[in-house]
Amino acid sequence: MTQLQLPSYLDQPPAVKDRFTRLKQRPVILKVDALGKQFDTPQGPTTALQDIHFQTHRREFLCVIGPSGCGKSTLIRILAGLETYSSGQVLLDGQAVNGPGSDRGMVFQGYTLFPWLTVKKNVMFGLERAGKGRTAAEEVAREWINLVGLEKFEDSYPHQLSGGMKQRVAIARALATQPRILLMDEPFGALDAQTRARMQAYLLEIWKNIDITIVFITHDLDEAIYLADRILVLKAHPGEVQELIEVPVPQPRTVEQFLSPEFLATKKRLETLIHPNRDTHENVGEQLHMVRMVPLDDSVSSIF
Amino acid sequence: MTRTHWFAVRKELPHRSRLWLGVMSFLLPLAIWSLVSYVPFVWHPKMEIIDPGDVSYFRPGMLVDRKVFAKESAALQNTGGALPQGKRANPIYLPAPHAVAKAFFTAFTTPPKRRNEPWLHESLWQSIQVIFWGFFLSSLIGVPLGILAGTYDVFSRLFEPFIEFFRYLPAPAFGALAVAILGIHDAPKIAIIFIGTFFQQVLVISNTTRQLDPALLEAAMTLGAKRFSLLFKVVIPGVIQQLYRDQRILLGWAWTYLIVAELIGSSSGITWFITQQARYKNFDNVYAAIMMIGIIGITTDLLLARLGRRIFPWQRQPAQV
Ligand SMILES: Nc1ncnc2c1ncn2[C@@H]1O[C@H](COP(=O)(O)OP(=O)(O)OP(=O)(O)O)[C@@H](O)[C@H]1O
Ligand SMILES: [Mg+2]
């Protein structure tokens, strides 16, 4: 591969710089301060997260990225209130987070739709818990189902839907109660590349049009750059913030930007952060101690 | 289209083959039974006397061991008396299929020996009632208790250790006690079915309840579900289909306690019929009655399975009876 002369990921075009200035003037929705988490394991306590601090502003799209086991899921589960934390604080609109609640919607990697409810009833679930009457809930649910383009399937059960459709229902279900913030833990991780790209476009479209702040976990660098305003990069053992990157790719995003210099520069930076001394492809063979296992006189003795 | 191989591991066979095998699973034992009953040189350890000849204690229709028959014949051959005539037969406790088939109908049409004794259909109905009440009362308490124990650790820790201990006590052991407390009528019998079912039921139900995917509970909590809505809107609907299946299996267990239950106090129901018929050596009736229990059991189960598919439309049921 020829080395392109890339700009620094820190060089922001004027429009982008301007936008970030305005973004940081928006009210803070979520503030995480000196957050720490320890798990008690049979081998003694292990530190999953240590001294995490960051904040998100209203209608911001924040991606969290990091190597496997760095505590991304733990972090988002703490934000959702599904996990306790050992130290520090998590403030949502200035209030300390205490247990799960409908002000923080969550979309999981496994679809977690209720299999015994139809699509419509799934979306109505949160609305009914919030005390909405049946007809009112039904009306709101319909709107959301239309919004994710599943009006033909509102009476289907989850097992009758494809993975992408299920995840759209899950998003609609999480958003229907109008949470302040939407937490997503590798929501498209189980989808194939095409469906995944479509879902990303859907999500951006939804984000643009409604008042929602999104915290999105992924391990896909392209996905993070394509979606995020800012990317929180974590490192493992213990999970700590490595860098909070402001993505220099102009908004609104399009797929054409995947090859723009800003995009590639950001990706290069993420790669050096996440895989600092990644092996080049050439020396993989040496590492594996491979020996030739096909006889020399085989009819296909060489594949080159 | 490639056919599924007969011995493909964990692959479902085509519908036709499944049906065929299902019929075969009944025909096979029937075939073995017929073989033993109708082919004279298979087993048939007895001789049915047709003509006693000069053997003093032989009577027409009497069944004697083949060895005894041979010995008597040999003795007569030596002394020159009239030889007895007989044909090979199975013991009286193994009637042929056709005799049992006939008994299926005649058992219902034969009036009881004494006036105050019940007809067969009355006996059966009594048995069904005992099962129903035993199982119903057990479920009434056992199912909610199991769900609570499967949902809340408090109830699990509070109830399950004792129940775990109690389920090892054989239900029939409580027979005499039940009679002493509840009298000799149906109540102690219902109590035995209850004791036999209840303790297993709580443990089975609580275990099934614990199988619920915790991610569903977490999803519900992020949607604002709290204590009671978690229980009633997530836990119960989330496991109800499996609970229903458990209940079907437990109902089968309840049936297995029936005979013991009906033997305590004054014998009653189908058990009374069976012991009575065995006493008169009407073994064809005995077999017919035993099979009726099986038929009632499997028919209810099939009906319940079908009903289950109707009330739980959200999941394709795995192929099962
Ligand atoms: N319930 C738990 N008990 C003990 N240790 C845990 C528990 N949950 C997570 N951990 C540990 O905390 C660390 C972070 O786990 P976490 O699942 O948050 O990682 P992750 O970044 O989401 O990884 P991945 O990218 O593979 O999903 C891991 O080292 C894990 O072993
Ligand atoms: Mg994770």
Side-chain angles (χ1 to χ4, degrees), chain B residues 168-232:
Chain B
Y168 284 100
L169 312 183
F174 293 88
L177 203 59
V179 172
I181 299 171
L182 297 164
I184 55 161
H185 293 292
D186 281 353
K189 302 170 201 297
I190 293 173
I192 294 302
I193 306 250
F194 181 95
I195 293 171
T197 314
F198 178 77
F199 298 95
Q200 308 284 354
Q201 191 170 34
V202 175
L203 295 180
V204 168
I205 300 280
S206 70
N207 241 337
T208 300
T209 309
R210 271 190 278 270
Q211 305 292 313
L212 181 73
D213 182 1
L216 291 180
L217 288 170
E218 295 188 337
M221 285 191 279
T222 64
L223 290 165
K226 296 268 149 51
R227 291 164 195 281
F228 288 107
S229 52
L230 271 183
L231 177 60
F232 287 104

Side-chain angles (χ1 to χ4, degrees), chain A residues 77 80 82 100-102 104-106 108 112-117 122 125-126 129 157 159 173-174 177, chain B residues 212-213 215-226 229 233-235 237-239 313-316:
Chain A
R77 286 171 55 80
L82 295 172
S102 57
R104 283 148 292 141
M106 178 120 174
F108 302 79
T112 68
L113 295 182
F114 304 122
W116 60 93
L117 296 178
N122 259 288
F125 186 91
R129 298 290 82 70
Y157 285 98
H159 78 257
R173 184 179 69 172
T177 49
Chain B
L212 181 73
D213 182 1
L216 291 180
L217 288 170
E218 295 188 337
M221 285 191 279
T222 64
L223 290 165
K226 296 268 149 51
S229 52
K233 297 290 179 180
V234 185
V235 175
V239 294
W314 59 83
Q315 248 165 33
R316 281 160 297 186

